[in-house]
Amino acid sequence: MKKIIITYLLCFVCTTSLAASKSNLMSNEAIGRLPSTSFPESGAEYWAQRNQAIHLARKSEWDKAIPLLKSLTQEYQDDGDTWFMLGHGYLQTDRCEQAIPALKQTLELGTIMTGLKSAGSPSNDIMIKIAQCYSALGNKSQALDWIKTALEFRWDDRKSLIGSPKFQKLVDNESYQRLSGEYLESGLSRNDAWLVDLQFLLDEIKRLHVDTYHHVSEGELELQAKAVAQNIPNLSDQQIVFQFMELVASVGNGHNFIVPTHSKKGSFTRLPVQFYKFSDGLYIVKTNADYQHLLGRKVISIADTPIEKAMEKIASVNARDNEMQQYWLGPYYLALPEVLEGLGIVKSAEEVLLTLADKNGKNERVKLSGESFNFRGFPTLPKLEGANVPDYLQQKNENYWYQENKKDNYLFVQLNAIAQNKSKSIALFSKEIRQVLSKSKIKNLVLDLRHNSGGNGSILPPLTRALIHFVEQSEENKLFVIVGRNTFSAAHLLLADINRLTDAIIVGEPSGSRPNHLGEAGWFKLPYSGVWGIISSQYHQASKAEDHRIWIAPHIPVNLSSDSYFKGKDPAMKQILDVIER
């Protein structure tokens, strides 16, 4: 074992790292690519055919789209969008020999094309498409080379290679298994296998993170990794995962975390209660059926640790963009007994002692044990039971919905996730919003983002345009945006755009991220334990280059007390109505 650790440490020190910041890493070289001297005879006709090709491609009508795209790329060769649609169309119709040169042209030119089924336009996604083509053609070496190149350019879905039907001809290839992260040498001891996971995790942090050492130095990360390696023989599987969690958190910023559930080794449990940090303290806001009597209790301490001190300790595992994420995610980590044990808050994860106070201030000590759980995203404020449920909690499970309030002259639009509804796309939803606003005399639009922690930001433009259209129609029109601690990721990009492009009135808490931030989700899965998580892989500049705000602050600051929540009140909407009535 000692020999393995020494070898591991040497490997870690010798690992070649990419540049400290990879935010400007590009997949094409602009110098040397001369512009075409051949242009269409009729620009208007070319434009009309281009639009028709986009329409057909988005409907996946490739039998009609491909001939048109082929003609367009012959007429004018400098548009990466048309090459991308052509290459993707060939790939979708199993014409890989034709797809490869078209996709290579796309790589040289670049594209930001969106809206195509099963198509990602980032350069590293295109590299994977080329790899798929070579694999389908039986050219294993080229397929492996292109996968390797995509990974070097921070392709962020490596774990999808494991068992991928698109690489059926490579699944038994050891080189492919190493690239996918699936390969694990047979006969390894338990400790050595965990060392393999540790090395893989470090390699993924260095490969994926857009700026690995912005928060922790290379030397500090190295020392932390050495300590974990030396501790492995003396730790349980869960304790090892906890130390991995601390390692990932040390890299900093909010898109770095481990999901410690349903892995092959080291899965965590969760207490049968959900906590939430209100303005007046931490409370239990949700329980399973056996603990309904604890709903609404204030948490005073965990074991012998006052709750305020426990929240401070959580910071070591809670990578974050700002301290609003401590309010959002701190309560989540407090409900994981293995985290509490790792932080020394409890002696054993087997049982957690809580000191709770009822509404009369009377204290009670309760012992709880963790249960296995499914991770479906970080928790938000749950819907209240009973009849007195405010609008903002009514339809939390809907990605987006709206309701018109003619009495108080506002349209309430709640966006809970940046994701498409099967029944109505966000583009159709946005069109419907515009129609409702144009037909009515409503002067106030309320956009509620307080439950929204992100999703697919590429689908947002139709909604952004609808919001801008509303405020530009009349100087009397007011746009209110309710935000909070978990307004994050793609939802925060929407907020930043609204903040930059309109005079929207922001209401609520400071947001859970920065206007310019490190984000995106680079997924990893460890080969031995099966533990998975994400690493930040992109830099998002959603505002001016010199914008160094730590959050987007509300113009109307409003917090939420436990009393308001449990009584079904919405202080944010109350403040908005006060402004509307003025």
Side-chain angles (χ1 to χ4, degrees):
M1 183 62 206
K2 183 176 181 182
K3 182 179 178 181
I4 292 290
I5 290 179
I6 291 172
T7 303
Y8 161 77
L9 295 179
L10 287 173
C11 288
F12 178 78
V13 173
C14 295
T15 299
T16 302
S17 64
L18 296 171
S21 175
K22 303 179 281 275
S23 59
N24 293 319
L25 189 64
M26 302 293 285
S27 64
N28 65 304
E29 178 54 67
I31 305 303
R33 171 82 190 207
L34 299 177
S36 174
T37 56
S38 176
F39 284 73
E41 289 187 12
S42 170
E45 178 63 22
Y46 174 87
W47 174 79
Q49 290 184 350
R50 188 181 187 278
N51 283 347
Q52 177 66 6
I54 292 172
H55 174 73
L56 293 170
R58 285 178 172 164
K59 292 174 66 179
S60 298
E61 295 184 11
W62 295 115
D63 57 330
K64 299 177 182 177
I66 287 174
L68 191 53
L69 288 163
K70 195 174 176 182
S71 173
L72 289 167
T73 55
Q74 289 171 352
E75 277 195 88
Y76 183 62
Q77 298 183 6
D78 290 352
D79 184 355
D81 291 353
T82 53
W83 284 110
F84 176 65
M85 287 186 286
L86 179 60
H88 182 65
Y90 280 139
L91 182 60
Q92 294 299 299
T93 54
D94 298 321
R95 287 180 267 182
C96 284
E97 287 186 357
Q98 294 98 323
I100 289 171
L103 292 172
K104 286 182 177 179
Q105 285 279 20
T106 308
L107 275 182
E108 286 195 26
L109 294 165
T111 181
I112 57 169
M113 193 78 200
T114 60
L116 301 186
K117 186 178 179 181
S118 304
S121 62
S123 296
N124 44 31
D125 281 348
I126 295 170
M127 292 170 184
I128 291 295
K129 291 180 186 298
I130 294 172
Q132 290 170 9
C133 286
Y134 278 119
S135 177
L137 294 170
N139 191 331
K140 293 183 180 181
S141 62
Q142 283 288 341
L144 293 169
D145 283 347
W146 277 98
I147 294 171
K148 183 179 179 182
T149 302
L151 291 172
E152 288 171 351
F153 281 93
R154 304 198 325 278
W155 186 57
D156 59 9
D157 198 17
R158 184 177 193 168
K159 68 180 181 65
S160 70
L161 292 174
I162 299 173
S164 171
K166 296 177 181 178
F167 291 101
Q168 285 182 346
K169 296 181 180 181
L170 295 177
V171 291
D172 295 326
N173 183 290
E174 182 180 317
S175 296
Y176 177 78
Q177 291 170 2
R178 289 182 182 275
L179 290 172
S180 71
E182 182 184 19
Y183 181 78
L184 189 68
E185 185 180 337
S186 62
L188 288 178
S189 68
R190 176 259 190 191
N191 293 344
D192 290 350
W194 273 113
L195 284 174
V196 170
D197 272 8
L198 177 57
Q199 183 65 58
F200 188 91
L201 176 59
L202 284 164
D203 289 345
E204 284 296 87
I205 290 172
K206 292 180 179 182
R207 181 183 74 84
L208 281 168
H209 203 288
V210 67
D211 193 357
T212 310
Y213 306 115
H214 76 102
H215 185 262
V216 63
S217 71
E218 186 172 6
E220 289 169 335
L221 189 64
E222 179 182 326
L223 286 173
Q224 192 173 349
K226 288 179 180 179
V228 176
Q230 291 168 335
N231 288 339
I232 281 174
N234 305 313
L235 300 174
S236 69
D237 291 347
Q238 285 77 13
Q239 289 169 335
I240 294 170
V241 174
F242 173 78
Q243 294 209 355
F244 284 9
M245 189 180 286
E246 287 193 309
L247 185 69
V248 170
S250 71
V251 179
N253 67 278
H255 279 80
N256 298 314
F257 59 80
I258 280 176
V259 180
T261 180
H262 287 293
S263 52
K264 291 182 286 187
K265 304 287 182 182
S267 288
F268 285 15
T269 60
R270 186 175 63 190
L271 296 178
V273 295
Q274 179 186 333
F275 304 126
Y276 189 87
K277 177 74 170 66
F278 294 102
S279 60
D280 53 330
L282 189 81
Y283 284 76
I284 294 175
V285 292
K286 188 177 181 180
T287 74
N288 69 14
D290 295 330
Y291 294 95
Q292 286 288 302
H293 61 286
L294 300 181
L295 194 64
R297 302 288 180 91
K298 184 176 183 179
V299 185
I300 306 301
S301 65
I302 301 177
D304 296 324
T305 304
I307 199 61
E308 295 81 6
K309 184 66 177 176
M311 279 284 284
E312 289 176 15
K313 288 188 173 187
I314 286 296
S316 72
V317 294
N318 184 15
R320 55 204 183 277
D321 292 340
N322 60 38
E323 294 306 319
M324 290 306 296
Q325 279 188 252
Q326 268 288 85
Y327 290 170
W328 172 32
L329 297 181
Y332 160 77
Y333 287 111
L334 285 175
L336 303 180
E338 289 78 11
V339 169
L340 299 176
E341 179 187 271
L343 294 171
I345 294 173
V346 299
K347 292 181 180 179
S348 170
E350 295 298 315
E351 194 171 65
V352 175
L353 177 65
L354 300 178
T355 301
L356 308 174
D358 64 18
K359 60 183 179 181
N360 298 315
K362 182 180 178 181
N363 285 358
E364 176 186 5
R365 293 166 75 85
V366 176
K367 292 181 180 179
L368 298 177
S369 297
E371 304 171 348
S372 62
F373 68 103
N374 293 317
F375 182 83
R376 296 188 177 92
F378 292 112
T380 58
L381 199 56
K383 181 178 178 179
L384 292 160
E385 298 297 328
N388 191 26
V389 181
D391 290 341
Y392 81 102
L393 295 174
Q394 285 277 3
Q395 300 186 58
K396 283 180 68 269
N397 293 329
E398 292 291 330
N399 289 338
Y400 36 82
W401 63 281
Y402 71 90
Q403 68 178 15
E404 189 176 352
N405 188 314
K406 293 182 179 180
K407 175 179 174 291
D408 294 313
N409 192 26
Y410 71 85
L411 185 72
F412 182 82
V413 178
Q414 190 171 63
L415 186 65
N416 293 319
I418 313 299
Q420 302 283 20
N421 279 350
K422 291 182 179 180
S423 60
K424 184 186 299 178
S425 70
I426 201 164
L428 290 176
F429 176 77
S430 304
K431 183 178 181 180
E432 190 172 318
I433 293 295
R434 290 179 69 159
Q435 291 171 342
V436 170
L437 289 168
S438 65
K439 290 178 181 178
S440 69
K441 295 182 180 180
I442 287 177
K443 297 296 183 182
N444 303 285
L445 174 57
V446 179
L447 176 66
D448 188 356
L449 297 177
R450 73 188 108 175
H451 303 307
N452 197 325
S453 57
N456 179 8
S458 68
I459 67 174
L460 280 171
L463 180 59
T464 307
R465 290 193 294 268
L467 297 170
I468 294 172
H469 177 78
F470 170 73
V471 295
E472 290 297 315
Q473 289 303 295
S474 170
E475 291 184 359
E476 296 179 8
N477 289 355
K478 288 186 176 67
L479 171 61
F480 299 88
V481 185
I482 308 177
V483 302
R485 62 193 69 179
N486 60 312
T487 305
F488 182 68
S489 196
H492 202 275
L493 294 176
L494 174 61
L495 172 63
D497 280 345
I498 294 170
N499 182 227
R500 179 170 55 90
L501 299 172
T502 76
D503 292 324
I505 302 167
I506 300 170
V507 183
E509 301 175 317
S511 61
S513 190
R514 306 180 68 133
N516 297 332
H517 64 278
L518 305 176
E520 215 64 29
W523 292 98
F524 65 84
K525 184 177 181 181
L526 303 183
Y528 169 63
S529 63
V531 168
W532 57 284
I534 67 169
I535 299 292
S536 303
S537 61
Q538 300 292 338
Y539 173 69
H540 288 287
Q541 184 174 313
S543 186
K544 299 177 181 178
E546 64 272 20
D547 188 346
H548 65 277
R549 286 178 293 172
I550 63 174
W551 46 49
I552 295 180
H555 306 138
I556 302 178
V558 184
N559 60 22
L560 182 66
S561 68
S562 61
D563 185 66
S564 292
Y565 169 71
F566 287 112
K567 288 182 178 178
K569 298 177 180 178
D570 185 354
M573 275 307 304
K574 182 180 184 305
Q575 295 296 326
I576 289 171
L577 291 174
D578 286 348
V579 173
I580 291 174
E581 292 169 3
R582 283 179 179 269

